[in-house]
Amino acid sequence: MGTVPRTPGARSALTENPSNADHLPVAEPGPRRVGIVEDHESVVMGLEAMLADQPDLVIVASAPTVPELLALGADLDLVILDLRLSDGSSPKTNVEQLRAAGLETLVFTGAENPYLVRLAAKAGVLGVLRKSEPTATVVAAITAAANGEQVVTTEWAAAIDGDPGLHDVGLSPRQRDVLALYASGEKAARVASLTGLAPHTVNDYLARIRAKYAEAGRPARTKTDLYKRAVEDGWLPPPLLHPGRP
């Protein structure tokens, strides 16, 4: 992280006697730089307060969405990510965008939806942490994740291992498009118009989609069922919580 100052004298001593390299002072690494993706200012302020007296951690950037954080161009060691954001983005997509930018992620969430936790975990986060955890636990988890360590919690393990029926059903990109449009409320004729497919093709896709979910042990007989499956698999954003609920 830091570098040894290279003054003319130091360079000369190193050149004349290479063994002196063993005695040169090594700069200590600086604090780990943390970014936050969270659309509730109070949560950001809470994290800032938790880490204020941690010399090895510093929050250098925050934004309400992943694209906005990435646009800041901050040099980060870790991103703390809320699963349910007001832009309706998928946790899987968010984690993948961060990883594509070379950034590791620690999820910090109310963990009210195990499917969202699973989506993030499958995308490759370092861990999942509940917002209700004690301050000491939160700080320890952020410290570990900022150093590239896995943060294993009961919540994360349960989300990954506790629902063996939640498997990828292998939808094609076109089938995912049809599912997302239809499950979001569009009628089959409208889906056909939006995708450029014939109406009978859309109906055929919907029948195949239902069959694939049934084979995976996740039946989707009704349109409401299809909506649930689309949310579970990240093809549609989860419904926003009611303003008056946690």
Side-chain angles (χ1 to χ4, degrees):
M1 306 269 296
T3 57
V4 177
R6 301 194 63 179
T7 64
R11 175 179 295 175
S12 174
L14 182 58
T15 303
E16 294 172 6
N17 186 359
S19 64
N20 285 340
D22 295 333
H23 305 291
L24 289 176
V26 177
E28 291 295 326
R32 298 298 186 186
R33 297 164 60 85
V34 178
I36 303 172
V37 178
E38 169 62 64
D39 52 12
H40 289 88
E41 186 179 358
S42 59
V43 176
V44 176
M45 293 174 64
L47 286 167
E48 290 174 340
M50 289 183 193
L51 303 184
D53 59 351
Q54 300 298 314
D56 296 331
L57 298 168
V58 58
I59 295 174
V60 299
S62 65
T65 67
V66 167
E68 288 176 90
L69 181 75
L70 293 177
L72 297 176
D75 180 19
L76 302 172
D77 296 296
L78 176 71
V79 174
I80 298 173
L81 172 70
D82 188 12
L83 287 185
R84 178 169 285 185
L85 300 171
S86 59
D87 68 344
S89 54
S90 161
K92 181 176 182 290
T93 299
N94 284 335
V95 174
E96 289 175 344
Q97 287 179 340
L98 291 169
R99 289 182 63 84
L103 299 174
E104 296 289 356
T105 306
L106 175 67
V107 167
F108 190 53
T109 180
E112 71 286 342
N113 190 324
Y115 299 123
L116 296 185
V117 175
R118 177 182 287 270
L119 289 175
K122 287 172 65 177
V125 300
L126 288 177
V128 177
L129 188 65
R130 276 186 177 273
K131 292 178 178 178
S132 58
E133 294 287 356
T135 297
T137 301
V138 173
V139 171
I142 295 174
T143 300
N147 285 290
E149 300 173 18
Q150 208 81 45
V151 179
V152 180
T153 61
T154 302
E155 187 69 32
W156 188 34
I160 295 173
D161 300 327
D163 186 4
L166 191 59
H167 294 304
D168 183 3
V169 296
L171 300 184
S172 69
R174 181 60 94 176
Q175 287 174 333
R176 293 198 296 264
D177 291 342
V178 169
L179 171 61
L181 288 169
Y182 183 75
S184 66
E186 300 288 358
K187 294 183 178 180
R190 175 64 174 164
V191 174
S193 175
L194 292 171
T195 58
L197 298 170
H200 69 85
T201 303
V202 170
N203 288 326
D204 181 57
Y205 276 169
L206 290 173
R208 293 183 185 181
I209 290 167
R210 285 192 167 96
K212 286 187 175 184
Y213 275 113
E215 290 171 4
R218 303 166 61 195
R221 299 182 183 89
T222 68
K223 195 167 188 175
T224 299
D225 289 336
L226 284 174
Y227 171 77
K228 291 178 180 178
R229 303 298 169 255
V231 171
E232 290 169 1
D233 289 343
W235 311 131
L236 285 177
L240 296 177
L241 291 176
H242 188 281
R245 296 174 185 170

